[in-house]
């Protein structure tokens, strides 16, 4: 019989943000695929998980997805994890899932941590309707995307690098208006978790003086 592909979310910060089911699945899996085996080894060691570990990341997923599919078809149960959060959400995973689904392989995605949900809820902006945009295009298509999103009425969610945060806030202020409200959530579920709220202009000025560090989720209110 074919095996199962398990998509297993991992903590985005605090190692206690892990489910009993996730630990059990990883202990029972024949093979664990990790975005970065060095990063994942810390988590696995913490929970006394010693399964076979191989790398599966954005640089090799086009080559390895079909190989992994065939191994699952041969009977292996495979668990996919990323460095933090849910695989497939701005992390490798989509290609492998699609490849397995096309072959009728059972895919079980466990509920669990993802950075944008606590950031969204903590922002104070409406959560009933929102759009997740992930990382904005760095160059090609960036201006077109910003022009389109300027008319978006739903709460918007972005991931951003600390090195590009101020530039992105300035550009959003240019296209959305400097008074559009936002919330920068930094280091979710970690010791130095921070939520900075205010207008795009205010928050951009703040992080111009206070250099941002760590993992960042940017929440922007929709157009009124």
């Amino acid at each position: 019989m074919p095996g199962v592909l398990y998509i297993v979310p991992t903590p985005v910060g605090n190692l206690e943000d892990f489910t009993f089911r996730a630990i059990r699945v990883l202990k029972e899996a024949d093979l664990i695929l990790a975005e970065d085996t060095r990063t994942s080894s810390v988590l696995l060691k913490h929970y006394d998980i010693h399964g076979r570990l191989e790398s599966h990341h954005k640089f090799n997923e086009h080559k390895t997805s079909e190989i992994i599919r065939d191994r699952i078809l041969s009977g292996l149960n495979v668990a996919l994890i990323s460095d933090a959060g849910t695989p497939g959400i701005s992390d490798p995973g989509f290609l492998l899932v699609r490849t397995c689904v096309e072959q009728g392989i059972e895919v079980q995605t466990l509920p669990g941590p993802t950075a944008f949900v606590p950031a969204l809820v903590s922002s104070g902006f409406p959560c009933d309707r929102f759009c997740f945009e992930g990382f904005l295009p760095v160059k090609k298509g960036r201006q077109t995307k910003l022009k389109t999103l300027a008319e978006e009425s739903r709460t918007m969610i972005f991931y951003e690098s600390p090195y590009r945060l101020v530039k992105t806030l300035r550009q959003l202020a240019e296209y959305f208006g400097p008074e559009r409200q936002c919330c920068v959530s930094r280091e979710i579920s970690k010791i130095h978790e921070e939520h900075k709220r205010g207008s795009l202009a205010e928050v951009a000025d703040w992080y111009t003086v206070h250099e941002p560090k760590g993992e960042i989720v940017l929440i922007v209110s929709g157009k009124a």
Side-chain angles (χ1 to χ4, degrees), residues 164-183:
R164 292 193 302 264
L165 177 63
V166 171
K167 176 183 177 181
T168 295
L169 288 168
R170 298 286 187 204
Q171 286 183 321
L172 290 172
E174 177 185 348
Y175 284 89
F176 295 6
E179 296 305 313
R180 184 76 72 93
Q181 296 298 297
C182 71
C183 176

Side-chain angles (χ1 to χ4, degrees), residues 10 30 56 71-72 107-108 112 130 153 178 212 218 220:
T10 55
D30 299 305
H56 182 83
R71 295 166 80 176
I72 297 174
V107 178
Q108 292 190 20
F130 59 88
S153 62
L218 169 60
V220 181

Side-chain angles (χ1 to χ4, degrees), residues 35-214:
E35 185 179 5
D36 186 326
T37 55
R38 294 166 299 180
T39 300
S40 296
S41 292
V42 177
L43 175 68
L44 299 180
K45 182 178 180 180
H46 181 81
Y47 283 102
D48 196 30
I49 299 169
H50 303 288
R52 182 176 176 183
L53 187 64
E54 293 183 6
S55 63
H56 182 83
H57 47 71
K58 65 181 180 180
F59 301 109
N60 72 0
E61 62 178 339
H62 286 84
K63 296 180 180 179
T64 59
S65 290
E66 293 185 356
I67 297 173
I68 298 301
R69 173 203 63 194
D70 292 342
R71 295 166 80 176
I72 297 174
L73 286 172
S74 71
L76 260 63
N77 290 318
V78 176
L80 174 66
I81 60 177
S82 61
D83 290 348
T86 301
I89 305 296
S90 292
D91 278 325
F94 161 69
L95 284 176
L96 179 58
V97 170
R98 184 177 66 179
T99 300
C100 289
V101 167
E102 289 174 346
Q103 287 293 314
I105 292 171
E106 181 181 357
V107 178
Q108 292 190 20
T109 301
L110 280 61
T114 188
F116 78 78
V117 173
L120 171 64
V121 175
S122 296
S123 71
F125 298 140
C127 303
D128 55 336
R129 296 177 67 247
F130 59 88
C131 60
F132 175 73
E133 293 294 330
F135 288 94
L136 285 166
V138 177
K139 294 181 180 179
K140 186 177 180 181
R142 188 178 178 91
Q143 291 184 342
T144 301
K145 172 64 76 172
L146 291 173
K147 288 178 182 178
T148 302
L149 290 176
E151 301 301 315
E152 176 59 66
S153 62
R154 296 171 294 179
T155 301
M156 290 166 277
I157 305 168
F158 304 93
Y159 285 162
E160 191 51 278
S161 158
Y163 308 108
R164 292 193 302 264
L165 177 63
V166 171
K167 176 183 177 181
T168 295
L169 288 168
R170 298 286 187 204
Q171 286 183 321
L172 290 172
E174 177 185 348
Y175 284 89
F176 295 6
E179 296 305 313
R180 184 76 72 93
Q181 296 298 297
C182 71
C183 176
V184 171
S185 294
R186 199 173 59 80
E187 295 292 81
I188 292 290
S189 190
K190 298 179 182 177
I191 295 175
H192 301 293
E193 179 172 335
E194 171 186 80
H195 302 273
K196 185 64 180 177
R197 304 173 180 86
S199 70
L200 288 167
E202 291 170 342
V203 177
D205 288 343
W206 167 268
Y207 283 113
T208 298
V209 177
H210 305 84
E211 182 182 2
K213 297 179 181 179

